[in-house]
């Protein structure tokens, strides 16, 4: 397992993260446990900011909440001076409860409900990334009624889609998100916004994909977006103030992944922008990474339980979590690395597959991990689980979601407590007629009654 951030093997041969011995963390907090390397998160945020500082661009770096959103995370995003992107009332509520300044929050999503738009307007969020015509007219009407103006970007599909290692340029982008550029939809939306009473158009947004390892896709998309800005200036007199280029910067899950340093992506963005906006005023450039901020900072700790050997085929090792705390292997064929946190110095001797404990054959965490001979009770650490794990976790099989701890300079802090059995019932309601002892239990069964008389 590759050791990211502050992870290291300590003198006892244990995995240590943020100066904390993970074997002790298992004793203190139990397993499964999401462990987060706070220094690594802060470091990644600073890498983006520092890289933009090296350019001559005006910029903002935002964090995409959907990768991992908790009160503690919102505090870190605020402390590091980033903007925050939210896509639901829940993410917005979390940010507001964390005291995140509303003007530094902006709202994404392809189907924001009326209630969500209301909540965001009332909270005074910085801007809305408007996704489609329904939302454009809704937001215009709502802001007009309140005699205010909603600041907006228009989400655009530039016709560039990243498939991790290559890029498809499509004429007509088939996506549920955003206004299509090729067909002229986005220009129509610009015209609407400019003549509206409730909207203040500031610019455009695009997001070409996720876990991207090259800069080419960004360069292509920037070219298209620059053309769009030029067209808006020349034909509508609209000067773009903000150009948001989305997220999607890749991280290293395993040795097949070769992400670029953050500075390379930012350099490519600067080059693309300079080329695209030759001689014209360059808008403020925004990026909104999620995975590349928190992904590598997370490690999940499990306890090994049962094992099963299918002779000549494979050995299954089952842990005390699974697709409820990490659905990515099942959902995306994601590939992870692991190590034994309690025997970190021992060389790997066998290839095993790591299964979860849920009732689903697809509940696998890792196919073919190389580990020392695994025993019942060993602690298994799976790296790179900081993004889209806790945020995608669920209670399938009524399994409780793990706790989350932040590890920083030798101290551990619980930021999400482990769910209790009682938590699982907190939304359940039992109608009176189903309460034990309250309703007649036995209803005569007409079929049985008929059979009874017939046997005479
Ligand atoms: C998911 C998403 C992001 C973050 O993507 P990462 O791959 O986690 O960096 C940013 N912007 C939009 C619009 C997204 O949908």
């Amino acid at each position: 397992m590759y050791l990211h951030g502050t992870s290291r093997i300590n003198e006892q041969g244990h995995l240590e993260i943020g100066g904390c011995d993970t074997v002790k963390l298992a004793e203190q907090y139990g397993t499964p446990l999401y462990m987060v390397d706070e220094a690594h998160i802060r470091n990644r945020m600073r890498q983006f900011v520092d890289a933009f500082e090296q350019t001559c661009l005006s910029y903002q770096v935002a964090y995409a909440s959907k990768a991992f959103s908790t009160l503690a995370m919102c505090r870190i995003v605020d402390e590091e001076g980033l903007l925050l992107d939210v896509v639901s009332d829940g993410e917005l509520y979390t940010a507001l409860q964390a005291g995140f300044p509303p003007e530094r929050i902006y709202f994404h999503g392809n189907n924001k409900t009326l209630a969500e738009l209301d909540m965001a307007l009332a909270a005074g969020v910085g801007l809305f990334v408007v996704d489609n015509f329904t939302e454009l007219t809704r937001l215009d009407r709502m802001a007009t009624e309140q005699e205010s103006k909603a600041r907006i970007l228009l989400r655009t599909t530039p016709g560039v889609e990243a498939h991790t290692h290559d890029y498809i340029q499509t004429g007509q982008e088939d996506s549920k998100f955003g206004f299509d550029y090729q067909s002229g939809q986005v220009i129509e939306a610009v015209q609407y916004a400019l003549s509206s009473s409730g909207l203040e158009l500031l610019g455009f947004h695009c997001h070409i994909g996720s876990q991207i390892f090259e800069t080419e896709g960004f360069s292509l998309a920037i070219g298209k977006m620059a053309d769009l800005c030029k067209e808006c200036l020349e034909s509508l007199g609209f000067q773009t103030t903000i150009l948001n280029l989305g997220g999607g910067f890749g991280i290293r899950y395993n040795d097949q992944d070769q992400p670029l340093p953050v500075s390379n992506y930012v350099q490519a963005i600067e080059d693309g922008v300079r080329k695209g906006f030759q001689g014209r005023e360059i808008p403020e450039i925004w990026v909104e990474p999620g995975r590349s901020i928190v992904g590598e900072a997370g490690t999940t700790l499990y306890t090994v339980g049962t094992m099963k050997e299918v002779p000549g085929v494979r050995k299954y090792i089952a842990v005390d979590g699974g697709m409820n705390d990490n659905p990515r292997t099942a959902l995306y064929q994601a590939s992870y690395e692991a190590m034994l946190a309690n025997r970190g110095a021992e060389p790997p001797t066998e290839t095993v597959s790591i299964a979860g404990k849920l009732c689903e054959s697809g509940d696998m965490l890792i196919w073919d991990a190389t580990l020392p001979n695994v025993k019942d009770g060993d602690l298994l650490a799976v790296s790179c689980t900081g993004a889209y794990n806790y945020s995608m976790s669920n209670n399938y099989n009524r399994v409780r979601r793990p706790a989350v701890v932040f590890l920083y300079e030798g101290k551990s802090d619980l930021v999400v407590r482990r769910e209790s059995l009682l938590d699982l019932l907190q939304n359940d309601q039992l109608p009176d007629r189903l309460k034990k002892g309250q309703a007649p239990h036995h209803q005569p069964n007409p079929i049985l009654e008929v059979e009874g008389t017939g046997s005479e």
Side-chain angles (χ1 to χ4, degrees), residues 64 66 85 108 155 205 207 210 247-249 288-291 388:
K66 74 175 198 249
D85 131 19
H108 254 301
R155 179 159 182 174
H205 168 278
H207 174 71
S210 204
F249 312 98
E288 49 186 20
R291 187 193 313 275
Y388 307 110

Side-chain angles (χ1 to χ4, degrees), residues 13-232:
H14 297 169
L15 172 64
E16 183 187 287
I17 302 173
C20 300
D21 185 318
T22 59
V23 175
K24 293 206 182 100
L25 294 175
E27 283 164 18
Q28 187 177 351
Y29 299 101
T31 59
L33 182 67
Y34 293 117
M35 307 180 293
V36 181
D37 180 351
E38 183 180 326
H40 194 56
I41 291 182
R42 292 182 183 273
N43 185 24
R44 294 294 288 179
M45 291 177 174
R46 289 170 197 177
Q47 284 175 24
F48 275 96
V49 171
D50 290 348
F52 272 103
E53 282 295 322
Q54 302 300 310
T55 70
C56 302
L57 302 171
S58 12
Y59 69 91
Q60 288 284 351
V61 178
Y63 167 67
S65 296
K66 74 175 198 249
F68 174 79
S69 164
T70 62
L71 292 174
M73 184 63 195
C74 290
R75 290 303 324 133
I76 290 176
V77 179
D78 190 14
E79 283 184 12
E80 295 294 331
L82 273 58
L83 304 184
L84 190 69
D85 131 19
V86 301
V87 298
S88 70
D89 52 2
E91 286 180 1
L92 176 58
Y93 182 73
T94 306
L96 295 173
Q97 289 296 308
F100 201 94
E103 66 279 7
R104 298 183 62 80
I105 302 174
Y106 62 98
F107 208 141
H108 254 301
N110 71 307
N111 186 18
K112 305 174 189 78
T113 64
L114 289 170
E116 285 173 327
L117 292 173
D118 249 339
M119 177 182 175
L121 281 169
V125 302
L127 58 79
F128 294 83
V129 181
V130 174
D131 193 272
N132 51 63
F133 287 106
T134 322
E135 188 188 336
L136 197 65
T137 49
R138 260 183 194 175
L139 193 59
D140 179 26
R141 193 183 64 240
M142 292 170 82
T144 304
E145 275 166 15
Q146 300 179 12
E147 290 174 19
S148 65
K149 273 200 186 270
R151 291 153 47 96
I152 64 165
L153 302 182
L154 296 174
R155 179 159 182 174
T156 311
T157 42
V160 178
E161 199 183 335
H163 288 277
T164 307
H165 283 292
D166 73 314
Y167 299 92
I168 298 177
Q169 287 195 66
T170 48
Q172 183 75 22
E173 175 78 77
D174 183 7
S175 161
K176 75 166 182 173
F177 293 110
F179 295 96
D180 183 50
Y181 180 34
Q182 304 296 324
S183 67
Q185 270 184 4
V186 64
I187 295 290
E188 211 183 307
V190 172
Q191 287 169 322
Y192 180 96
L194 292 179
S195 60
S196 72
S197 52
L199 304 174
E200 182 188 352
L201 178 64
L202 295 173
F204 303 97
H205 168 278
C206 69
H207 174 71
I208 58 169
S210 204
Q211 187 63 346
I212 300 169
F213 293 118
E214 289 154 304
T215 57
E216 190 195 344
F218 291 103
S219 307
L220 287 170
I222 292 166
K224 301 263 179 142
M225 298 303 281
D227 290 347
L228 168 64
C229 296
K230 187 174 180 204
E231 190 179 338
C232 287

